[in-house]
Amino acid sequence: MNVAVVGLGFVGLVTATVIADKGNSVTCIDVDGEKIEKLKRGELYIYEPGLKELFQRNMARMSFTSDYSSLRESEVAFICVPTPTVNGKIDLSSVRDSVLSVSSVDKDVIIAVKSTVVPGTASALSSMIGRSIVSNPEFLREGNAIEDTLHPDRIVVGGKSDVDMEKVCDVWEFTGAPIMRVTNENAELIKYASNAFLATKISFINEIANLCEKIPGADVATVAKGIGMDHRIGKDFLRAGIGFGGSCFPKDTRALVSFAEEKGLELKIVKSTMEVNEERIKHAIEMIEEEIGNLTGKNICVLGLTFKDNTNDLRESKSVELIDALRAKGAKILAYDPVIKELDGVKMVNRIEECKGTDSVVIASEWKEFETNPIYERAKNVVDLKKVVNLKVHPNVRVIGAYHAEN
Ligand code: UGA
């Protein structure tokens, strides 16, 4: 097939590459000319395990341009542009602009919206362009994006035209995943409800983590394992820590709450999920203060800057929020990250060993390489805010979500 992908951010680039890998020709469009030039040279601007190799292998089937007229031959155009929240409300201008641009070039190309949009968006845009639109929300995770795209749990396709929906299903046939054919509105809400539910699981376990810290003998990792073995609950997304960050959960929970408010509804659980998440950094700071006292003038080494492991994405990173809060308390920060080597105003080190002399080594994201390190034995103090350290090897590390004798 001839397919177009509009918006070459994280979702767009992974989607385009995987679709090309399955033998399709992909026209990749982005308004950012710099990105286009990089891609033409075979350079990537995002870090995603396995993507570079897959991309370079498939470049011959991919073309890169800022010119929408190049999608004339395409049968389906996937819209993968960002939908940020501005003042708590979703900003749909990029989606609208790209849909209008595609339909002005070619009325026949099927438009499939992958961007996360509030229910009603596809129908409203359909009326604007006089053609039905397919909703095809994305469920891939950064850091695991290729695997998630190749083997999704389900494909959700929403729309009013069976013919258009079938064409979009054809693109994803290689996944072998179950396909749900629904209305645009259901597809749009499935995406929001999924992210809100996953975020709720995280805030739930973080509340249980707070409780565990008050109970001698309790540890949230064990409690999470125990509840997760009940298949109705499930074991995933029960890792306690400093809360969810990134480009999706924070913005999508905000957008969903404000969308519901416009409908006259208060989403109490989602709001509490956000509140619990907002308190995580304050809680982390209190833990560090319990360990090393007043933070003024203290040297702290933070391990991990991105919003989670296996990505170079710093958007709404809890680690960066933590660094800002530590600094506001007068601490001096050193930081190490496996992929980020520069961050405005932060002194970076190239090796974890360089953190040895600091007052505390604080682990703020879940990279596998943080599981064990000889430095944890030699450092004055280590605080694990992501429950990543192997406690069998390093039993003296202070961990979030576990009782601590000095409580
Ligand atoms: C999330 C969803 O998981 C995807 O299904 C969805 O497609 C995507 O948003 C999106 O809307 O585009 P992503 O933001 O890449 O994916 O990352 P997650 O793995 O969901 O992690 C989000 C945050 O939650 C991270 O800060 C992570 O550290 C934190 N987290 C995750 C926890 O604190 N505990 C957990 O158990 C899991």
Side-chain angles (χ1 to χ4, degrees):
M1 281 172 84
N2 273 321
V3 172
V5 174
V6 179
L8 303 173
F10 195 81
V11 169
L13 201 50
V14 171
T15 302
T17 307
V18 171
I19 292 175
D21 190 54
K22 296 298 160 190
N24 304 293
S25 299
V26 187
T27 305
C28 304
I29 301 178
D30 198 291
V31 288
D32 184 340
E34 227 171 275
K35 280 186 180 169
I36 295 297
E37 288 314 312
K38 278 198 172 146
L39 294 173
K40 280 182 181 164
R41 293 196 296 267
E43 294 169 22
L44 293 189
Y45 35 81
I46 57 174
Y47 172 82
E48 175 65 31
L51 183 62
K52 199 165 183 197
E53 298 73 17
L54 196 70
F55 177 77
Q56 288 175 343
R57 247 195 351 257
N58 288 289
M59 276 182 76
R61 275 193 287 269
M62 302 165 84
S63 61
F64 308 98
T65 178
S66 293
D67 179 5
Y68 276 85
S69 65
S70 321
L71 59 72
R72 254 194 202 108
E73 303 297 307
S74 306
E75 294 162 77
V76 181
F78 289 101
I79 307 295
C80 305
V81 297
T83 50
T85 40
V86 178
N87 300 328
K89 268 191 74 176
I90 190 166
D91 174 7
L92 291 166
S93 53
S94 297
V95 177
R96 194 183 47 237
D97 291 351
S98 47
V99 166
L100 287 175
S101 300
V102 173
S103 81
S104 69
V105 166
D106 185 344
K107 275 259 168 237
D108 294 327
V109 63
I110 297 162
I111 297 177
V113 174
K114 281 212 154 290
S115 306
T116 302
V117 294
V118 289
T121 303
S123 290
L125 292 171
S126 292
S127 312
M128 206 185 283
I129 61 168
R131 188 200 200 294
S132 74
I133 285 179
V134 177
S135 302
N136 179 213
E138 184 49 64
F139 301 101
L140 62 81
R141 290 162 295 175
E142 294 189 17
N144 214 49
I146 295 171
E147 183 60 20
D148 285 351
T149 309
L150 289 170
H151 306 291
D153 289 338
R154 77 307 206 182
I155 301 284
V156 175
V157 178
K160 293 184 181 67
S161 154
D162 289 343
V163 178
D164 290 0
M165 286 162 77
E166 272 330 293
K167 205 42 145 195
V168 174
C169 292
D170 288 349
V171 177
W172 298 119
E173 202 190 343
F174 68 83
T175 65
I179 296 182
M180 254 187 108
R181 291 172 181 78
V182 295
T183 61
N184 289 110
E185 289 71 22
N186 279 330
E188 291 163 331
L189 193 51
I190 286 170
K191 167 68 188 197
Y192 272 109
S194 297
N195 275 4
F197 187 82
L198 291 168
T200 301
K201 268 187 115 173
I202 298 170
S203 280
F204 174 80
I205 205 65
N206 282 335
E207 278 211 310
I208 300 296
N210 287 349
L211 186 58
C212 287
E213 287 169 12
K214 306 277 178 213
I215 306 170
D219 173 22
V220 71
T222 309
V223 175
K225 188 173 175 198
I227 64 174
M229 285 166 87
D230 183 329
H231 73 276
R232 293 169 303 172
I233 296 172
K235 64 179 174 21
D236 295 330
F237 274 71
L238 290 175
R239 186 201 279 262
I242 42 175
F244 54 82
S247 64
C248 304
F249 289 170
K251 99 171 155 57
D252 291 348
T253 46
R254 284 195 295 267
L256 187 60
V257 163
S258 87
F259 174 75
E261 268 164 14
E262 280 170 14
K263 304 274 166 208
L265 261 190
E266 188 188 4
L267 295 187
K268 291 182 188 159
I269 292 176
V270 187
K271 275 173 103 173
S272 302
T273 292
M274 292 159 70
E275 269 165 44
V276 170
N277 202 52
E278 276 151 24
E279 286 159 11
R280 293 314 282 164
I281 294 302
K282 189 168 157 266
H283 183 70
I285 296 279
E286 282 165 8
M287 260 180 79
I288 300 166
E289 282 173 336
E290 268 174 41
E291 288 293 302
I292 61 170
N294 191 316
L295 298 180
T296 309
K298 295 274 163 59
N299 290 303
I300 296 180
C301 183
V302 175
L303 303 188
L305 292 175
T306 50
F307 83 98
K308 67 170 187 181
D309 59 333
N310 285 319
T311 180
N312 63 345
D313 196 340
L314 290 162
R315 285 175 290 177
E316 299 215 26
S317 163
K318 284 283 178 187
S319 172
V320 174
E321 195 184 325
L322 175 76
I323 289 175
D324 290 343
L326 287 168
R327 277 182 159 162
K329 290 256 175 186
K332 288 181 263 170
I333 306 295
L334 280 183
Y336 167 82
D337 187 277
V339 291
I340 303 291
K341 298 299 169 199
E342 271 175 34
L343 185 68
D344 253 5
V346 176
K347 189 164 178 225
M348 303 293 297
V349 294
N350 284 320
R351 292 161 60 246
I352 299 180
E353 286 65 28
E354 292 174 52
C355 298
K356 200 169 55 195
T358 55
D359 295 293
S360 183
V361 174
V362 174
I363 298 148
S365 87
E366 55 271 68
W367 287 84
K368 203 162 172 43
E369 69 173 79
F370 299 157
E371 266 178 29
T372 154
N373 194 297
I375 197 181
Y376 300 158
E377 300 307 313
R378 297 202 300 269
K380 290 186 201 159
N381 171 265
V382 184
V383 179
D384 178 7
L385 298 174
K386 276 288 192 172
K387 294 200 77 72
V388 59
V389 172
N390 183 336
L391 294 177
K392 290 200 180 94
V393 184
H394 306 291
N396 295 326
V397 168
R398 172 81 191 265
V399 190
I400 204 162
Y403 181 74
H404 187 254
E406 275 112 41
N407 259 338

